[in-house]
Amino acid sequence: MTTNPRSTTRLVVTAAGPVEITRTDGDRPAVLFFPGGHCRSSTDCGQGIYTALGHEVVSFSRPGYGRTQVGSMDAAAFADVVREVCEQLGVLAPAAAVGVSFGGLQAVHVAGHRSIGVERLVLHSGAPSTLPYPDSRAEALLGPVAFSPALEPAVWWLVRRLVRSDRGLRAMLARLSTLSPGQWWDDLSAAEKDQARGVFNSMGSGSGFVNDLRQARAKDAGQRMAALARVRSPVLITASPYDGGVDYAHAEDFQAHLEDSRLVELPSPTHLFWIGPGHDLVADAVRHFLDE
C-alpha cells in the first residue's frame, strides 16, 4: 500500500478535446472516479476512501467542469473519451468505475462500455437513476438559472464567503441534510468541518451542472434504464436516508434495475457521505466489495 500517495492534475489531449484528470498513485489496480455536480477532478468527493486502500485513482473532470473542453457531451459519448484517456494512461482492466452523486450516470455508462473493461461499479449517493433529478420541482426550475455559466461564478463567490464561518458552513450543510443541524453538527470534529469547508471552496459549476440537468429529465428515463441494463459487473450502492441532496429512492431504484447489486444504508447525516459518522461504514463496504 502506498503511503502519502502523490497526486497530479493534468490535461489529457483526446480526439474530442482536452480532458482534465487528477491521478493519484497506488499499488493496486486503478479506480476510475467521477465526481458529482459542481465538482472537478481534484475536488474532494471521497477519493481518499480508495487511496487509503492502496488503489490508484484516476479522477475525471466531466464535460463542462474544470479544464475539460469537449463541449456539451452526454455521459454515453464521454464514455468513449474515458476509454481513450485510459488507453493513453496505460490503465487496463480498472478495478471499478465509481460515481458520486451526478457522477453516477457517467460511472454507469463507463461500467457498461465493454472496451473499457471495468470489473465493478460503485454508486455513492447517485442520481439520476431511472427517476428524474433534481427531486423537487423548485430545484429543477431554479438549478439551470442559478448555476448557469453566467451566474455560477457569483453564486460560488458568495458560498465561499459564507462558509468562512462555522455558522455559514452549518447553514450550507443543513441544506444537504433531512435532519436538523442540532442532531449532527456537534458530532463533526474540527477537522471534518474544515474538510467540508474545503469541498465548498473548491466547487464551481462551469457549464457542467446545466449539462448534467439536461440528462436527468423524466423524458430520458428510458435511455437511463437502457444504460443500466448494459451493466453486467457487480455493483455496490451506498446511500443515506438523511441525505438532503439526493433522495434515498434513487438508491432503491438503482438496486431494482441493476441485477448483481447490493445496497448499503449509511448513517451519514448529509450528502457528503465521506465526512462524518458514515465514513467508516462506507470505507468497510468498499473494501469488502473490491476485495471479493
Side-chain angles (χ1 to χ4, degrees):
M1 185 176 296
T2 303
T3 57
N4 299 318
R6 179 176 62 96
S7 290
T8 56
T9 299
R10 55 168 285 204
L11 291 178
V12 177
V13 179
T14 72
V19 174
E20 182 180 59
I21 65 160
T22 298
R23 190 175 191 178
T24 305
D25 293 341
D27 299 324
R28 302 183 69 184
V31 166
L32 307 181
F33 196 97
F34 302 97
H38 314 299
C39 299
R40 64 194 304 169
S41 63
S42 57
T43 302
D44 177 11
C45 288
Q47 292 95 323
I49 291 170
Y50 296 86
T51 59
L53 294 174
H55 285 278
E56 176 185 0
V57 174
V58 181
S59 182
F60 289 76
S61 292
R62 298 184 293 107
Y65 291 110
R67 294 184 292 160
T68 293
Q69 297 179 29
V70 296
S72 299
M73 188 174 280
D74 65 18
F78 192 61
D80 285 327
V81 180
V82 171
R83 175 194 56 77
E84 184 178 348
V85 171
C86 288
E87 288 177 353
Q88 291 197 40
L89 298 179
V91 174
L92 305 175
V98 180
V100 174
S101 193
F102 248 136
L105 182 60
Q106 188 62 66
V108 166
H109 279 279
V110 168
H113 196 297
R114 297 294 178 264
S115 298
I116 300 176
V118 167
E119 296 182 0
R120 289 174 171 79
L121 170 63
V122 184
L123 298 172
H124 295 300
S125 305
S129 55
T130 68
L131 304 175
Y133 186 81
D135 296 311
S136 76
R137 180 167 174 77
E139 290 175 322
L141 291 173
L142 292 175
V145 178
F147 297 108
S148 67
L151 293 182
E152 64 89 18
V155 170
W156 290 110
W157 180 83
L158 289 171
V159 169
R160 285 189 286 273
R161 288 187 62 86
L162 182 65
V163 300
R164 289 177 184 175
S165 69
D166 276 3
R167 181 178 180 181
L169 178 63
R170 172 175 162 146
M172 286 299 300
L173 287 173
R175 296 178 62 85
L176 299 177
S177 177
T178 63
L179 301 172
S180 67
Q183 294 177 267
W184 49 264
W185 174 255
D186 289 340
D187 294 331
L188 296 178
S189 67
E192 288 170 335
K193 291 172 184 176
D194 283 342
Q195 186 180 4
R197 185 174 285 112
V199 174
F200 286 116
N201 283 335
S202 70
M203 284 182 164
S205 306
S207 60
F209 194 69
V210 172
N211 192 48
D212 286 343
L213 292 173
R214 277 197 293 264
Q215 302 173 68
R217 296 171 294 192
K219 72 181 186 68
D220 297 322
Q223 295 178 23
R224 296 194 296 274
M225 189 177 297
L228 293 172
R230 288 191 289 271
V231 176
R232 293 289 181 266
S233 56
V235 184
L236 172 65
I237 305 160
T238 71
S240 169
Y242 312 120
D243 187 340
V246 171
D247 195 283
Y248 194 75
H250 287 281
E252 295 172 322
D253 187 71
F254 277 129
Q255 185 180 33
H257 288 94
L258 289 163
E259 185 175 340
D260 186 6
S261 64
R262 70 194 71 173
L263 171 57
V264 175
E265 181 179 314
L266 304 177
S268 308
T270 77
H271 187 55
L272 307 187
F273 64 91
W274 62 98
I275 300 175
H279 176 275
D280 290 348
L281 179 58
V282 71
D284 284 345
V286 167
R287 177 172 55 83
H288 286 300
F289 180 65
L290 295 182
D291 286 348
E292 288 180 347

PDB file of all heavy atoms in Angstrom, residues 111-127:
ATOM      1  N   ALA A 111     -19.139   1.671 -16.887  1.00  0.00           N
ATOM      2  CA  ALA A 111     -19.219   0.262 -16.497  1.00  0.00           C
ATOM      3  C   ALA A 111     -19.856  -0.578 -17.597  1.00  0.00           C
ATOM      4  O   ALA A 111     -19.527  -1.772 -17.741  1.00  0.00           O
ATOM      5  CB  ALA A 111     -20.015   0.121 -15.203  1.00  0.00           C
ATOM      6  N   GLY A 112     -20.758   0.020 -18.356  1.00  0.00           N
ATOM      7  CA  GLY A 112     -21.409  -0.713 -19.429  1.00  0.00           C
ATOM      8  C   GLY A 112     -20.663  -0.687 -20.745  1.00  0.00           C
ATOM      9  O   GLY A 112     -21.109  -1.295 -21.727  1.00  0.00           O
ATOM     10  N   HIS A 113     -19.528  -0.004 -20.788  1.00  0.00           N
ATOM     11  CA  HIS A 113     -18.726   0.125 -22.006  1.00  0.00           C
ATOM     12  C   HIS A 113     -17.750  -1.054 -22.065  1.00  0.00           C
ATOM     13  O   HIS A 113     -16.769  -1.104 -21.323  1.00  0.00           O
ATOM     14  CB  HIS A 113     -17.962   1.450 -21.979  1.00  0.00           C
ATOM     15  CG  HIS A 113     -17.415   1.878 -23.301  1.00  0.00           C
ATOM     16  ND1 HIS A 113     -16.464   1.161 -23.983  1.00  0.00           N
ATOM     17  CD2 HIS A 113     -17.688   2.967 -24.075  1.00  0.00           C
ATOM     18  CE1 HIS A 113     -16.153   1.785 -25.111  1.00  0.00           C
ATOM     19  NE2 HIS A 113     -16.894   2.881 -25.195  1.00  0.00           N
ATOM     20  N   ARG A 114     -17.995  -1.991 -22.942  1.00  0.00           N
ATOM     21  CA  ARG A 114     -17.214  -3.235 -22.960  1.00  0.00           C
ATOM     22  C   ARG A 114     -15.730  -3.000 -23.232  1.00  0.00           C
ATOM     23  O   ARG A 114     -14.865  -3.743 -22.752  1.00  0.00           O
ATOM     24  CB  ARG A 114     -17.793  -4.187 -24.018  1.00  0.00           C
ATOM     25  CG  ARG A 114     -19.218  -4.633 -23.729  1.00  0.00           C
ATOM     26  CD  ARG A 114     -19.303  -5.495 -22.477  1.00  0.00           C
ATOM     27  NE  ARG A 114     -20.678  -5.877 -22.179  1.00  0.00           N
ATOM     28  CZ  ARG A 114     -21.459  -5.240 -21.333  1.00  0.00           C
ATOM     29  NH1 ARG A 114     -21.000  -4.171 -20.696  1.00  0.00           N
ATOM     30  NH2 ARG A 114     -22.686  -5.639 -21.106  1.00  0.00           N
ATOM     31  N   SER A 115     -15.387  -1.963 -23.995  1.00  0.00           N
ATOM     32  CA  SER A 115     -13.984  -1.755 -24.366  1.00  0.00           C
ATOM     33  C   SER A 115     -13.135  -1.257 -23.204  1.00  0.00           C
ATOM     34  O   SER A 115     -11.910  -1.353 -23.246  1.00  0.00           O
ATOM     35  CB  SER A 115     -13.885  -0.758 -25.530  1.00  0.00           C
ATOM     36  OG  SER A 115     -14.535  -1.260 -26.670  1.00  0.00           O
ATOM     37  N   ILE A 116     -13.778  -0.704 -22.180  1.00  0.00           N
ATOM     38  CA  ILE A 116     -13.020  -0.198 -21.029  1.00  0.00           C
ATOM     39  C   ILE A 116     -12.683  -1.333 -20.068  1.00  0.00           C
ATOM     40  O   ILE A 116     -11.627  -1.348 -19.442  1.00  0.00           O
ATOM     41  CB  ILE A 116     -13.795   0.930 -20.317  1.00  0.00           C
ATOM     42  CG1 ILE A 116     -14.033   2.093 -21.292  1.00  0.00           C
ATOM     43  CG2 ILE A 116     -13.043   1.424 -19.087  1.00  0.00           C
ATOM     44  CD1 ILE A 116     -14.875   3.218 -20.737  1.00  0.00           C
ATOM     45  N   GLY A 117     -13.580  -2.290 -19.940  1.00  0.00           N
ATOM     46  CA  GLY A 117     -13.293  -3.476 -19.146  1.00  0.00           C
ATOM     47  C   GLY A 117     -13.312  -3.278 -17.649  1.00  0.00           C
ATOM     48  O   GLY A 117     -12.540  -3.911 -16.920  1.00  0.00           O
ATOM     49  N   VAL A 118     -14.193  -2.405 -17.166  1.00  0.00           N
ATOM     50  CA  VAL A 118     -14.299  -2.175 -15.727  1.00  0.00           C
ATOM     51  C   VAL A 118     -14.844  -3.428 -15.032  1.00  0.00           C
ATOM     52  O   VAL A 118     -15.792  -4.054 -15.500  1.00  0.00           O
ATOM     53  CB  VAL A 118     -15.228  -0.972 -15.458  1.00  0.00           C
ATOM     54  CG1 VAL A 118     -15.610  -0.899 -13.990  1.00  0.00           C
ATOM     55  CG2 VAL A 118     -14.551   0.321 -15.887  1.00  0.00           C
ATOM     56  N   GLU A 119     -14.232  -3.792 -13.906  1.00  0.00           N
ATOM     57  CA  GLU A 119     -14.610  -5.022 -13.211  1.00  0.00           C
ATOM     58  C   GLU A 119     -15.793  -4.844 -12.272  1.00  0.00           C
ATOM     59  O   GLU A 119     -16.561  -5.783 -12.048  1.00  0.00           O
ATOM     60  CB  GLU A 119     -13.414  -5.564 -12.433  1.00  0.00           C
ATOM     61  CG  GLU A 119     -12.253  -5.993 -13.341  1.00  0.00           C
ATOM     62  CD  GLU A 119     -11.092  -6.578 -12.562  1.00  0.00           C
ATOM     63  OE1 GLU A 119     -11.199  -6.656 -11.308  1.00  0.00           O
ATOM     64  OE2 GLU A 119     -10.090  -6.947 -13.190  1.00  0.00           O
ATOM     65  N   ARG A 120     -15.967  -3.624 -11.714  1.00  0.00           N
ATOM     66  CA  ARG A 120     -17.041  -3.380 -10.762  1.00  0.00           C
ATOM     67  C   ARG A 120     -17.552  -1.948 -10.898  1.00  0.00           C
ATOM     68  O   ARG A 120     -16.847  -1.087 -11.429  1.00  0.00           O
ATOM     69  CB  ARG A 120     -16.565  -3.611  -9.312  1.00  0.00           C
ATOM     70  CG  ARG A 120     -16.326  -5.070  -8.961  1.00  0.00           C
ATOM     71  CD  ARG A 120     -15.720  -5.208  -7.574  1.00  0.00           C
ATOM     72  NE  ARG A 120     -15.672  -6.588  -7.130  1.00  0.00           N
ATOM     73  CZ  ARG A 120     -14.765  -7.470  -7.515  1.00  0.00           C
ATOM     74  NH1 ARG A 120     -13.809  -7.090  -8.351  1.00  0.00           N
ATOM     75  NH2 ARG A 120     -14.795  -8.705  -7.062  1.00  0.00           N
ATOM     76  N   LEU A 121     -18.749  -1.717 -10.387  1.00  0.00           N
ATOM     77  CA  LEU A 121     -19.361  -0.392 -10.388  1.00  0.00           C
ATOM     78  C   LEU A 121     -19.731  -0.028  -8.957  1.00  0.00           C
ATOM     79  O   LEU A 121     -20.309  -0.850  -8.229  1.00  0.00           O
ATOM     80  CB  LEU A 121     -20.616  -0.384 -11.271  1.00  0.00           C
ATOM     81  CG  LEU A 121     -21.518   0.847 -11.214  1.00  0.00           C
ATOM     82  CD1 LEU A 121     -20.792   2.104 -11.707  1.00  0.00           C
ATOM     83  CD2 LEU A 121     -22.794   0.617 -12.039  1.00  0.00           C
ATOM     84  N   VAL A 122     -19.399   1.205  -8.561  1.00  0.00           N
ATOM     85  CA  VAL A 122     -19.783   1.711  -7.237  1.00  0.00           C
ATOM     86  C   VAL A 122     -20.532   3.022  -7.425  1.00  0.00           C
ATOM     87  O   VAL A 122     -20.052   3.933  -8.111  1.00  0.00           O
ATOM     88  CB  VAL A 122     -18.560   1.946  -6.328  1.00  0.00           C
ATOM     89  CG1 VAL A 122     -19.026   2.384  -4.938  1.00  0.00           C
ATOM     90  CG2 VAL A 122     -17.697   0.692  -6.230  1.00  0.00           C
ATOM     91  N   LEU A 123     -21.695   3.114  -6.812  1.00  0.00           N
ATOM     92  CA  LEU A 123     -22.509   4.329  -6.873  1.00  0.00           C
ATOM     93  C   LEU A 123     -22.707   4.849  -5.453  1.00  0.00           C
ATOM     94  O   LEU A 123     -23.337   4.198  -4.620  1.00  0.00           O
ATOM     95  CB  LEU A 123     -23.870   4.026  -7.514  1.00  0.00           C
ATOM     96  CG  LEU A 123     -23.825   3.518  -8.962  1.00  0.00           C
ATOM     97  CD1 LEU A 123     -25.219   3.065  -9.409  1.00  0.00           C
ATOM     98  CD2 LEU A 123     -23.279   4.583  -9.888  1.00  0.00           C
ATOM     99  N   HIS A 124     -22.158   6.037  -5.191  1.00  0.00           N
ATOM    100  CA  HIS A 124     -22.294   6.673  -3.883  1.00  0.00           C
ATOM    101  C   HIS A 124     -23.282   7.826  -4.000  1.00  0.00           C
ATOM    102  O   HIS A 124     -23.036   8.796  -4.734  1.00  0.00           O
ATOM    103  CB  HIS A 124     -20.950   7.236  -3.409  1.00  0.00           C
ATOM    104  CG  HIS A 124     -19.885   6.220  -3.146  1.00  0.00           C
ATOM    105  ND1 HIS A 124     -20.018   5.209  -2.215  1.00  0.00           N
ATOM    106  CD2 HIS A 124     -18.628   6.078  -3.677  1.00  0.00           C
ATOM    107  CE1 HIS A 124     -18.900   4.493  -2.180  1.00  0.00           C
ATOM    108  NE2 HIS A 124     -18.049   4.991  -3.059  1.00  0.00           N
ATOM    109  N   SER A 125     -24.408   7.728  -3.284  1.00  0.00           N
ATOM    110  CA  SER A 125     -25.406   8.813  -3.274  1.00  0.00           C
ATOM    111  C   SER A 125     -25.729   9.261  -4.691  1.00  0.00           C
ATOM    112  O   SER A 125     -25.809  10.447  -4.994  1.00  0.00           O
ATOM    113  CB  SER A 125     -24.887  10.002  -2.449  1.00  0.00           C
ATOM    114  OG  SER A 125     -24.534   9.598  -1.149  1.00  0.00           O
ATOM    115  N   GLY A 126     -25.905   8.287  -5.586  1.00  0.00           N
ATOM    116  CA  GLY A 126     -26.035   8.570  -7.008  1.00  0.00           C
ATOM    117  C   GLY A 126     -27.410   9.051  -7.444  1.00  0.00           C
ATOM    118  O   GLY A 126     -28.428   8.677  -6.885  1.00  0.00           O
ATOM    119  N   ALA A 127     -27.402   9.866  -8.474  1.00  0.00           N
ATOM    120  CA  ALA A 127     -28.618  10.336  -9.145  1.00  0.00           C
ATOM    121  C   ALA A 127     -28.187  10.997 -10.458  1.00  0.00           C
ATOM    122  O   ALA A 127     -27.070  11.524 -10.547  1.00  0.00           O
ATOM    123  CB  ALA A 127     -29.385  11.331  -8.285  1.00  0.00           C
TER     124      ALA A 127
END
